[in-house]
Coordinates of all heavy atoms in Angstrom, one line a residue:
E183 N 27.0 -27.9 38.6 CA 26.2 -29.1 38.3 C 24.7 -28.7 38.1 O 24.1 -29.1 37.2 CB 26.4 -30.2 39.3 CG 26.0 -31.6 38.9 CD 27.0 -32.1 37.8 OE1 28.2 -31.7 37.8 OE2 26.5 -32.8 36.9
E184 N 24.3 -27.9 39.0 CA 22.9 -27.4 39.0 C 22.5 -26.7 37.7 O 21.5 -26.9 37.1 CB 22.6 -26.6 40.2 CG 21.1 -26.2 40.4 CD 20.9 -25.3 41.6 OE1 21.6 -25.5 42.6 OE2 20.0 -24.5 41.6
I185 N 23.4 -25.7 37.4 CA 23.2 -24.9 36.2 C 23.3 -25.8 34.9 O 22.5 -25.7 34.0 CB 24.1 -23.7 36.1 CG1 23.8 -22.8 37.3 CG2 24.0 -23.0 34.8 CD1 24.7 -21.6 37.4
Y186 N 24.3 -26.7 34.9 CA 24.5 -27.5 33.7 C 23.3 -28.4 33.5 O 22.8 -28.5 32.3 CB 25.8 -28.4 34.0 CG 25.9 -29.5 33.0 CD1 26.3 -29.2 31.6 CD2 25.7 -30.8 33.3 CE1 26.4 -30.3 30.7 CE2 25.8 -31.9 32.4 CZ 26.1 -31.6 31.1 OH 26.2 -32.6 30.2
N187 N 22.8 -29.1 34.5 CA 21.7 -30.0 34.3 C 20.4 -29.2 33.9 O 19.7 -29.7 33.0 CB 21.4 -30.7 35.6 CG 22.4 -31.7 35.9 OD1 23.0 -32.3 35.0 ND2 22.7 -32.0 37.2
E188 N 20.2 -28.0 34.4 CA 19.0 -27.2 34.1 C 19.1 -26.8 32.6 O 18.1 -26.9 31.9 CB 18.9 -26.0 35.0 CG 17.7 -25.1 34.7 CD 17.6 -23.9 35.6 OE1 18.6 -23.5 36.2 OE2 16.5 -23.3 35.7
Y189 N 20.2 -26.3 32.2 CA 20.3 -25.8 30.8 C 20.5 -26.9 29.8 O 20.1 -26.7 28.6 CB 21.4 -24.7 30.7 CG 20.9 -23.4 31.3 CD1 20.8 -23.2 32.7 CD2 20.4 -22.4 30.4 CE1 20.3 -22.0 33.2 CE2 19.9 -21.2 31.0 CZ 19.8 -21.1 32.3 OH 19.2 -19.9 32.8
L190 N 21.0 -28.0 30.2 CA 21.0 -29.2 29.2 C 19.6 -29.6 29.0 O 19.2 -29.9 27.8 CB 21.8 -30.3 29.9 CG 22.0 -31.5 29.0 CD1 22.9 -31.1 27.8 CD2 22.7 -32.6 29.7
E191 N 18.7 -29.6 30.0 CA 17.3 -30.0 29.8 C 16.6 -28.9 29.0 O 15.7 -29.2 28.1 CB 16.7 -30.1 31.2 CG 15.2 -30.6 31.2 CD 15.1 -32.0 30.5 OE1 16.1 -32.8 30.7 OE2 14.2 -32.2 29.8
I192 N 16.9 -27.6 29.2 CA 16.3 -26.6 28.4 C 16.7 -26.8 26.9 O 15.8 -26.6 26.0 CB 16.8 -25.2 28.9 CG1 16.1 -24.9 30.2 CG2 16.5 -24.1 27.9 CD1 16.6 -23.6 30.9
G193 N 17.9 -27.1 26.7 CA 18.3 -27.4 25.3 C 17.5 -28.5 24.6 O 17.1 -28.4 23.5
K194 N 17.3 -29.5 25.4 CA 16.4 -30.6 24.8 C 15.0 -30.2 24.5 O 14.4 -30.6 23.5 CB 16.4 -31.8 25.8 CG 17.7 -32.5 26.0 CD 17.6 -33.6 27.1 CE 19.0 -34.3 27.4 NZ 18.9 -35.2 28.5
Q195 N 14.5 -29.3 25.4 CA 13.1 -28.8 25.2 C 13.0 -27.9 24.0 O 12.0 -27.9 23.3 CB 12.7 -28.0 26.5 CG 11.3 -27.6 26.5 CD 10.9 -27.0 27.9 OE1 11.6 -27.1 28.8 NE2 9.7 -26.4 27.9
L196 N 14.1 -27.2 23.7 CA 14.1 -26.2 22.6 C 14.8 -26.6 21.3 O 14.8 -25.8 20.3 CB 14.7 -24.9 23.1 CG 14.0 -24.1 24.2 CD1 14.8 -22.9 24.6 CD2 12.6 -23.8 23.9
Q197 N 15.3 -27.8 21.3 CA 16.1 -28.2 20.2 C 15.5 -28.1 18.8 O 16.2 -27.8 17.8 CB 16.6 -29.7 20.4 CG 15.5 -30.7 20.4 CD 16.1 -32.1 20.8 OE1 17.3 -32.3 20.7 NE2 15.2 -33.1 21.1
D198 N 14.2 -28.3 18.7 CA 13.6 -28.2 17.4 C 13.4 -26.7 16.9 O 13.1 -26.4 15.8 CB 12.2 -28.9 17.4 CG 12.3 -30.4 17.5 OD1 13.4 -30.9 17.1 OD2 11.4 -31.0 18.0
R199 N 13.6 -25.8 17.8 CA 13.4 -24.4 17.5 C 14.8 -23.7 17.3 O 14.8 -22.6 16.8 CB 12.7 -23.6 18.7 CG 11.3 -24.1 18.9 CD 10.7 -23.2 20.0 NE 9.3 -23.6 20.4 CZ 8.2 -23.2 19.9 NH1 8.2 -22.4 18.8 NH2 7.0 -23.6 20.3
I200 N 15.9 -24.3 17.6 CA 17.2 -23.7 17.5 C 17.8 -24.1 16.1 O 18.1 -25.2 15.8 CB 18.1 -24.3 18.6 CG1 17.6 -23.9 20.0 CG2 19.5 -23.7 18.5 CD1 18.3 -24.6 21.1
V201 N 17.8 -23.1 15.2 CA 18.2 -23.4 13.8 C 19.1 -22.3 13.3 O 19.3 -21.2 13.9 CB 16.9 -23.4 12.9 CG1 15.9 -24.5 13.4 CG2 16.1 -22.0 13.0
D202 N 19.7 -22.6 12.1 CA 20.4 -21.5 11.4 C 19.4 -20.6 10.7 O 18.5 -21.1 10.0 CB 21.3 -22.2 10.3 CG 22.6 -22.8 10.9 OD1 23.1 -22.2 11.8 OD2 23.0 -23.8 10.4
T203 N 19.5 -19.3 11.0 CA 18.5 -18.4 10.5 C 19.0 -17.5 9.4 O 18.3 -17.1 8.5 CB 18.0 -17.5 11.6 OG1 19.1 -16.8 12.2 CG2 17.3 -18.3 12.7
E204 N 20.3 -17.1 9.3 CA 20.8 -16.2 8.4 C 20.7 -16.6 6.9 O 20.4 -15.8 6.0 CB 22.2 -15.7 8.7 CG 23.3 -16.8 8.6 CD 23.4 -17.6 9.9 OE1 22.6 -17.4 10.9 OE2 24.3 -18.5 10.0
L205 N 20.9 -17.9 6.7 CA 20.8 -18.5 5.3 C 19.4 -18.3 4.8 O 19.1 -17.9 3.7 CB 21.3 -19.9 5.3 CG 21.2 -20.6 3.9 CD1 22.1 -19.9 2.9 CD2 21.6 -22.1 4.0
E206 N 18.4 -18.7 5.7 CA 17.0 -18.7 5.3 C 16.6 -17.3 5.0 O 15.8 -17.0 4.1 CB 16.2 -19.4 6.4 CG 14.7 -19.5 6.0 CD 13.9 -20.3 6.9 OE1 14.5 -20.9 7.8 OE2 12.7 -20.4 6.7
L207 N 17.0 -16.4 5.9 CA 16.6 -15.0 5.7 C 17.1 -14.4 4.4 O 16.4 -13.7 3.7 CB 17.0 -14.1 6.9 CG 16.3 -14.4 8.2 CD1 16.9 -13.6 9.4 CD2 14.8 -14.0 8.1
N208 N 18.3 -14.6 4.1 CA 18.9 -14.1 2.9 C 18.2 -14.7 1.6 O 18.0 -14.0 0.6 CB 20.4 -14.3 2.8 CG 21.2 -13.3 3.6 OD1 21.3 -12.1 3.2 ND2 21.6 -13.6 4.8
E209 N 17.9 -16.0 1.7 CA 17.2 -16.6 0.6 C 15.8 -16.0 0.5 O 15.3 -15.8 -0.7 CB 17.1 -18.1 0.8 CG 18.4 -18.8 0.6 CD 18.4 -20.3 0.9 OE1 17.3 -20.8 1.5 OE2 19.3 -21.1 0.6
A210 N 15.1 -15.8 1.6 CA 13.8 -15.2 1.5 C 13.8 -13.8 0.9 O 12.9 -13.4 0.1 CB 13.2 -15.1 3.0
I211 N 14.9 -13.0 1.2 CA 15.0 -11.7 0.7 C 15.2 -11.8 -0.8 O 14.6 -11.0 -1.6 CB 16.1 -10.9 1.3 CG1 15.7 -10.6 2.8 CG2 16.4 -9.6 0.6 CD1 16.9 -10.0 3.6

Side-chain angles (χ1 to χ4, degrees):
E183 203 66 31
E184 184 180 333
I185 294 176
Y186 168 73
N187 288 331
E188 181 181 18
Y189 280 78
L190 188 63
E191 187 58 38
I192 286 173
K194 292 176 183 176
Q195 190 174 345
L196 297 180
Q197 60 184 348
D198 292 336
R199 296 186 186 270
I200 301 171
V201 299
D202 283 322
T203 58
E204 62 276 3
L205 180 62
E206 183 171 357
L207 287 175
N208 279 283
E209 287 177 348
I211 291 170

